[in-house]
Amino acid sequence: MERSTAAVLGLGLIGGSLAFRLRNKGYRVIGYDISEERTQTAFHLGAISEGRSSPAEAARDSDIVFIAAPVGAIVPIIEDIIPHTRPGAIVTDVGSVKRPIMEKVEALRPPFTFIGGHPMAGSEQGGIEAADPNLFENAVYVLTPMGEDAAKEESFRQLAGLIESDLGATVMAMEAKVHDEVVAAVSHLPHIVAAALVHALGRTAERTPAALALAAGGFRDITRIASSNPHMWRDISLSNSNQLLELIDHMIDSLSIFRNYITDNDPQGVEEFFSRAKKFRDSLPTLQSL
């Protein structure tokens, strides 16, 4: 789409990275964050052209609006900006859960085009200070469009073009329900498992403090994502609870199977368990994801 005015509502890692990238590509970027201090920091760092004191003020003059807020805050922000956003504007979000948001926004019947979005990129670090304009390079960026009329299809093409040409990501269109099923497996459950592994280490360290000294290598790597924002992951887990409950049951079943191999002293079963995982893991693509 033509270089224009973009609003970024939420200036943490994802929003800040979006703002930096869009400014680098020649957009006028209007920023808002619930923290006025963070908005000022984003301005002084050069991530935004100017700041606003409310989502409505930031969205008012914008051609495209990115809502980079926690999952639980996205719909309230949309409700807030509806009376103030241009009917021809494109509004999108970056939330990690899509179906509940899409259903609620559809019921609101906003005058603008809303397209759900989720960049499969990120870091355990947070805040505008961790923002990276290259964060989306070569990442998959999921879009979940709403409706199929010509105007919405044109808006989808415009947004997809921006994401691919200006952010450097690869767009994948997906139904909201399918998206939530997939990310529960590739993103949400891994965060829960990483947190559970850290809790397990904590119990061991209570008995043997020296365990902490041995957790500096591979353990830190495999549990890196457990350092992510707890507030954000609370919202994500509760918003995608049905999908997660099913996957947690599958995880428990898998661990029970492995437990039985150990209990039965079954070396073939143990090796096959790891072999199947290795074969599938080695077949995974190398595109960035979180």
Side-chain angles (χ1 to χ4, degrees), residues 106 110 112-115 145-158:
E106 187 169 16
F112 48 75
T113 299
F114 178 77
I115 301 170
M146 186 166 58
E148 298 180 353
D149 62 65
K152 290 177 180 177
E153 289 177 2
E154 175 58 25
S155 295
F156 179 87
R157 284 193 290 270
Q158 290 182 28

Side-chain angles (χ1 to χ4, degrees), residues 8-212:
V8 180
L9 311 182
L11 296 168
L13 172 70
I14 299 297
S17 298
L18 275 168
F20 269 119
R21 182 72 174 209
L22 293 172
R23 279 215 78 189
N24 290 349
K25 290 294 182 176
Y27 289 80
R28 174 191 177 211
V29 179
I30 301 175
Y32 161 79
D33 193 272
I34 192 171
S35 164
E36 184 176 348
E37 180 181 357
R38 182 176 286 178
T39 303
Q40 290 299 319
T41 299
F43 176 75
H44 290 303
L45 290 175
I48 59 176
S49 311
E50 50 199 281
R52 293 287 188 271
S53 60
S54 72
E57 289 181 9
R60 191 187 309 276
D61 298 323
S62 300
D63 305 295
I64 182 164
V65 179
F66 287 91
I67 302 175
V71 168
I74 291 171
V75 173
I77 288 176
I78 292 172
E79 291 174 328
D80 185 25
I81 69 173
I82 281 177
H84 309 281
T85 304
R86 297 173 180 175
I90 299 171
V91 178
T92 185
D93 74 318
V94 300
S96 183
V97 181
K98 296 269 68 79
R99 186 177 182 181
I101 293 170
M102 299 299 294
E103 290 177 347
K104 291 174 182 176
V105 175
E106 187 169 16
L108 291 171
R109 301 177 66 85
F112 48 75
T113 299
F114 178 77
I115 301 170
H118 180 205
M120 299 296 291
S123 166
E124 74 279 11
Q125 303 300 317
I128 185 66
E129 295 82 3
D132 177 3
N134 298 317
L135 185 68
F136 310 102
E137 287 280 356
N138 301 316
V140 172
Y141 200 120
V142 178
L143 292 179
T144 57
M146 186 166 58
E148 298 180 353
D149 62 65
K152 290 177 180 177
E153 289 177 2
E154 175 58 25
S155 295
F156 179 87
R157 284 193 290 270
Q158 290 182 28
L159 178 58
L162 180 156
I163 289 168
E164 295 196 330
S165 64
D166 293 332
L167 301 187
T170 299
V171 169
M172 180 181 293
M174 190 175 289
E175 292 182 7
K177 180 178 182 295
V178 175
H179 166 274
D180 290 357
E181 291 173 351
V182 173
V183 297
V186 303
S187 177
H188 302 170
L189 182 66
H191 275 80
I192 295 168
V193 171
L197 287 171
V198 173
H199 289 312
L201 173 64
R203 293 177 66 179
T204 300
E206 288 177 0
R207 300 190 305 269
T208 311
L212 297 176

Side-chain angles (χ1 to χ4, degrees), residues 220-278:
R220 286 184 61 87
D221 293 337
I222 201 171
T223 59
R224 173 184 62 86
I225 52 179
S227 292
S228 298
N229 186 317
H231 177 86
M232 178 181 77
W233 282 99
R234 178 201 67 188
D235 283 2
I236 290 171
S237 299
L238 294 176
S239 297
N240 208 21
S241 58
N242 289 339
Q243 306 297 341
L244 276 173
L245 288 171
E246 182 177 349
L247 285 168
I248 289 169
D249 287 341
H250 292 168
M251 175 64 70
I252 291 170
D253 289 344
S254 185
L255 289 172
S256 295
I257 289 170
F258 188 78
R259 188 181 192 282
N260 289 336
Y261 290 150
I262 296 293
T263 301
D264 297 340
N265 193 27
D266 181 356
Q268 184 175 348
V270 170
E271 183 173 351
E272 180 60 23
F273 183 90
F274 288 120
S275 294
R276 288 197 307 271
K278 180 183 186 311

